[in-house]
């Protein structure tokens, strides 16, 4: 029937699947269900804003570039207590995407000088700007760990962005990553997965200017390290960083949710692992970050 062919054609176009009549029981089917591989569109090249004054509402955003389980939630809670800094929970803006539903929409944007990446950058900037304006503060701080994999695009999107690189002993990161979801990953899997983040952070450190902070030093001397961060960000020291209170969002997947964070004050970190407790897969990174000689 015509209506069946119409529906089947639409189904094939939009899902890659279609229904086909099969033979009677015991007979070979004359045709079989087919699956078309999805067509992967090439990524749009990203580039700096054509007109920064018009294209960017957010000025000098701050990105904490860190691996998972490295103390980024603690640092963001401390910075959020500063009267000039708004550090919300992990925003994952790099995962916000723009799609063209029609070729005419794409042509219209091209005529304005926008490719898909340009429009995504406008979206990211607008999301951060709305959050910042609602806070009433001067600068926004974003700490999603996966930003380490997108440092090139973030620095291109916001040419005036500032970066704080947060490091922690690689073996401590791996142990904490396993403890966060012990049923999801083994200790070896946690070490291998966390290492991906560490390598991305190290690539960002080599490529971008910024301030490097160590979790162990932050928890041992929060005022001294806090003052250094404020100086780097060109904001005055604020003693509120030391007693930041309970973060507004303490949710797994958007940051740390453990009791140390809920305490509202900086807690001393765990003891460093002994050399014999470091997994072999992490030893090179321990040397690179000067936790192991």
């Amino acid at each position: 029937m015509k209506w069946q062919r119409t529906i089947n054609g639409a189904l094939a176009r939009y899902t890659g699947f279609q229904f086909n009549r099969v033979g009677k029981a015991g007979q070979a089917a004359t045709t079989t269900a087919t699956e078309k591989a999805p067509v992967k569109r090439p990524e749009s090249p990203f580039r700096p804003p054509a007109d920064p004054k018009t294209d960017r509402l957010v000025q000098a955003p701050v990105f904490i570039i860190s691996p998972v389980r490295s103390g980024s939630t603690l640092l963001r809670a401390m910075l959020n207590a500063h009267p000039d800094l708004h550090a919300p929970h992990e925003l994952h803006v790099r995962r916000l995407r723009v799609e063209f539903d029609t070729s005419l929409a794409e042509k219209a944007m091209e005529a304005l000088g926008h490719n898909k990446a340009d429009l995504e950058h406008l979206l990211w900037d607008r999301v951060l700007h709305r959050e910042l304006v609602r806070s009433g503060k001067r600068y926004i701080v974003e700490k999603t760990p996966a930003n380490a994999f997108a440092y090139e695009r973030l620095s291109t999107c916001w040419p005036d962005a500032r970066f704080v690189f947060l490091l922690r002993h690689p073996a401590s990161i791996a142990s904490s990553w396993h403890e966060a979801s012990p049923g999801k990953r083994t200790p070896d899997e946690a070490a291998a997965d966390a290492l991906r983040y560490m390598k991305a952070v190290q690539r960002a450190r080599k490529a971008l200017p910024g301030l490097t902070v160590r979790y162990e030093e932050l928890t041992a001397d929060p005022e001294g390290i806090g003052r250094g961060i404020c100086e780097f960000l060109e904001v005055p020291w604020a003693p509120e960083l030391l007693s930041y209170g309970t973060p507004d969002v303490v949710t797994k997947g958007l940051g740390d949710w453990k009791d140390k964070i809920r305490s509202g004050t900086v807690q001393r970190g765990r003891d460093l692992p002994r050399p014999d407790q470091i997994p072999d897969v992490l030893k090179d990174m321990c040397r690179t970050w000067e936790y192991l000689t």
Side-chain angles (χ1 to χ4, degrees):
M1 294 182 181
K2 184 177 180 181
W3 66 270
Q4 292 175 322
R5 291 195 298 272
T6 301
I7 293 176
N8 207 24
L11 184 68
R13 286 195 303 275
Y14 291 104
T15 70
F17 294 88
Q18 67 182 18
F19 293 111
N20 293 278
R21 184 183 299 276
V22 299
K24 296 180 180 179
Q27 295 180 353
T30 56
T31 57
T32 59
T34 60
E35 178 182 349
K36 296 181 179 179
V39 177
K40 186 175 182 180
R41 300 180 66 180
E43 295 251 346
S44 296
F46 56 88
R47 55 198 176 187
D51 185 354
K53 291 184 178 180
T54 301
D55 295 347
R56 297 295 178 267
L57 300 177
V58 174
Q59 301 299 311
V62 180
F63 291 95
I64 299 173
I65 303 296
S66 69
V68 292
R69 311 303 300 175
S70 59
S72 60
T73 299
L74 170 63
L75 181 54
R76 85 94 175 164
M78 293 175 65
L79 296 181
N80 191 53
H82 194 289
D84 288 337
L85 303 174
H86 179 49
H89 61 79
E90 296 171 11
L91 298 179
H92 300 270
V93 292
R94 66 177 283 260
R95 294 301 189 187
L96 302 179
R97 296 291 184 237
V98 169
E99 296 292 343
F100 297 117
D101 279 350
T102 66
S103 60
L104 287 177
E106 185 171 7
K107 289 179 180 179
M109 292 301 99
E110 287 177 353
L112 295 179
H114 303 310
N115 65 20
K116 192 169 75 167
D118 296 332
L119 297 173
E120 288 171 349
H121 290 173
L122 291 173
L123 172 61
W124 299 356
D125 184 73
R126 184 64 182 90
V127 170
L128 294 190
H129 184 258
R130 179 181 186 274
E131 185 63 24
L132 181 60
V133 169
R134 286 165 59 88
S135 75
K137 296 186 177 183
R138 292 177 60 195
Y139 302 113
I140 194 161
V141 180
E142 220 290 275
K143 55 85 55 181
T144 306
N147 283 341
F149 298 104
Y151 71 88
E152 292 176 298
R153 190 161 178 185
L154 294 175
S155 61
T156 300
C157 177
W158 290 282
D160 61 347
R162 294 166 294 173
F163 296 91
V164 176
F165 305 105
L166 179 61
L167 309 185
R168 186 183 184 185
H169 194 297
S172 297
I173 291 174
S175 295
S176 182
W177 192 221
H178 168 64
E179 293 164 5
S181 300
K184 186 176 180 180
R185 56 184 77 88
T186 66
D188 288 343
E189 291 170 341
D193 190 41
L195 183 59
R196 295 189 305 113
Y197 287 86
M198 299 179 214
K199 289 180 176 179
V201 170
Q202 184 59 21
R203 289 193 293 269
R205 287 183 71 207
K206 292 177 66 175
L208 300 173
L211 176 69
T212 294
V213 173
R214 294 179 185 271
Y215 171 77
E216 296 83 4
E217 295 174 353
L218 178 66
T219 55
D221 182 17
E223 180 173 348
I225 300 303
R227 286 183 178 275
I229 295 172
C230 288
E231 181 179 356
F232 171 71
L233 299 180
E234 299 182 340
V235 295
W237 163 247
E240 294 93 329
L241 269 68
L242 304 181
S243 297
Y244 54 81
T246 303
D248 51 350
V249 176
V250 186
T251 303
K252 187 174 182 178
L254 300 180
D256 198 351
W257 69 99
K258 298 297 183 65
D259 290 341
K260 280 188 176 181
I261 292 297
R262 296 177 186 273
S263 71
T265 57
V266 181
Q267 304 292 309
R268 192 172 185 86
R270 68 176 77 186
D271 293 337
L272 291 182
R274 301 187 310 270
D276 64 303
Q277 295 175 313
I278 301 173
D280 289 342
V281 71
L282 298 178
K283 288 183 177 178
D284 283 346
M285 187 57 68
C286 286
R287 295 186 185 96
T288 298
W289 285 358
E290 300 179 347
Y291 285 100
L292 188 65
T293 57

